[in-house]
Amino acid sequence: AQRVTQPEKLLSVFKGAPVELKCNYSYSGSPELFWYVQYSRQRLQLLLRHISRESIKGFTADLNKGETSFHLKKPFAQEEDSAMYYCALRSSQGGSEKLVFGKGTKLTVNP
Amino acid sequence: DVKVTQSSRYLVKRTGEKVFLECVQDMDHENMFWYRQDPGLGLRLIYFSYDVKMKEKGDIPEGYSVSREKKERFSLILESASTNQTSMYLCVTGETNTGELFFGEGSRLTVL
């Protein structure tokens, strides 16, 4: 079964400190992973997908198949990074596709 | 710019009432989803649809049904609302090729 685990419900760091939001997955196929972010009072939006290997707003995430992880990292956190972050796995089910989400991590960046 | 519009931002209903949550998208996406978002539980998939008149159960379909009569519209129905269905409901569309999802603003339902 497909599963996404975000072990930390809450994460608090100070501005300028490095931040890492953890994500582990279980999936028998070839995984496609995403990070979604929800800022206060806004809709969820895509932050990163592993296929594009890009850096968005200073965040990066590397897929580690050996450790089945897709941790989100930023070297210097900013206050505007405070938000809810969801890791998601794209999976196939009977010919159709869906995304399975982790339970989310609430990041607070303190001044 | 993709637009996913949910008809009601806030609803208050009584136990046993029938509830319709409507969602319309303007990007011609085939895939549409209904999730509920609860603190500490994250996003859980209720139903999804990959074509008109097609629907698939998600992880928590009990107590819900859906309707997709037109490609751009995906409705979530609670036949008889219960208090444990108090939640934020998110309508989502998906691009088939990239897997990227686009979210509506959400409908916060309170069942008294």
Side-chain angles (χ1 to χ4, degrees), chain A residues 36 38 43 86 90 99, chain B residues 35 37 43 96 101 103 105:
Chain A
Y36 282 84
Q38 187 174 26
R43 65 184 69 197
Y86 293 93
R90 187 185 192 190
L99 275 191
Chain B
Y35 286 87
Q37 182 180 24
L43 284 87
T96 306
L101 298 187
F103 291 78
E105 289 187 302

Side-chain angles (χ1 to χ4, degrees), chain A residues 33-34 46-54 70, chain B residues 98 100:
Chain A
L33 286 142
F34 304 79
L46 177 66
L47 180 63
L48 283 180
R49 53 182 148 229
H50 91 269
I51 286 177
S52 55
R53 300 183 66 81
E54 57 200 343
F70 188 57
Chain B
T98 64
E100 181 175 354

Side-chain angles (χ1 to χ4, degrees), chain B residues 37-101:
Chain B
Q37 182 180 24
D38 299 288
L41 297 177
L43 284 87
R44 293 179 291 167
L45 181 63
I46 304 170
Y47 266 97
F48 63 105
S49 168
Y50 51 88
D51 202 353
V52 176
K53 296 194 188 292
M54 304 298 287
K55 59 186 178 185
E56 294 272 350
K57 290 182 180 179
D59 300 316
I60 51 162
E62 297 78 18
Y64 303 94
S65 62
V66 291
S67 171
R68 186 124 182 244
E69 296 296 318
K70 292 185 178 181
K71 191 174 186 179
E72 66 271 17
R73 191 178 296 270
F74 192 36
S75 302
L76 180 70
I77 303 148
L78 289 69
E79 291 291 340
S80 177
S82 63
T83 54
N84 62 13
Q85 291 178 311
T86 291
S87 186
M88 172 70 84
Y89 290 88
L90 294 173
C91 175
V92 185
T93 75
E95 265 192 6
T96 306
N97 291 335
T98 64
E100 181 175 354
L101 298 187

Side-chain angles (χ1 to χ4, degrees), chain A residues 5 20 23 27 73 76 97 109:
Chain A
T5 304
E20 181 180 55
C23 172
Y27 184 52
K73 299 176 186 178
F76 307 103
E97 294 185 340
V109 181

Side-chain angles (χ1 to χ4, degrees), chain B residues 7-18:
Chain B
S7 55
S8 306
R9 293 291 307 277
Y10 301 95
L11 301 98
V12 180
K13 298 290 182 181
R14 297 207 174 275
T15 301
E17 280 191 88
K18 191 168 186 176

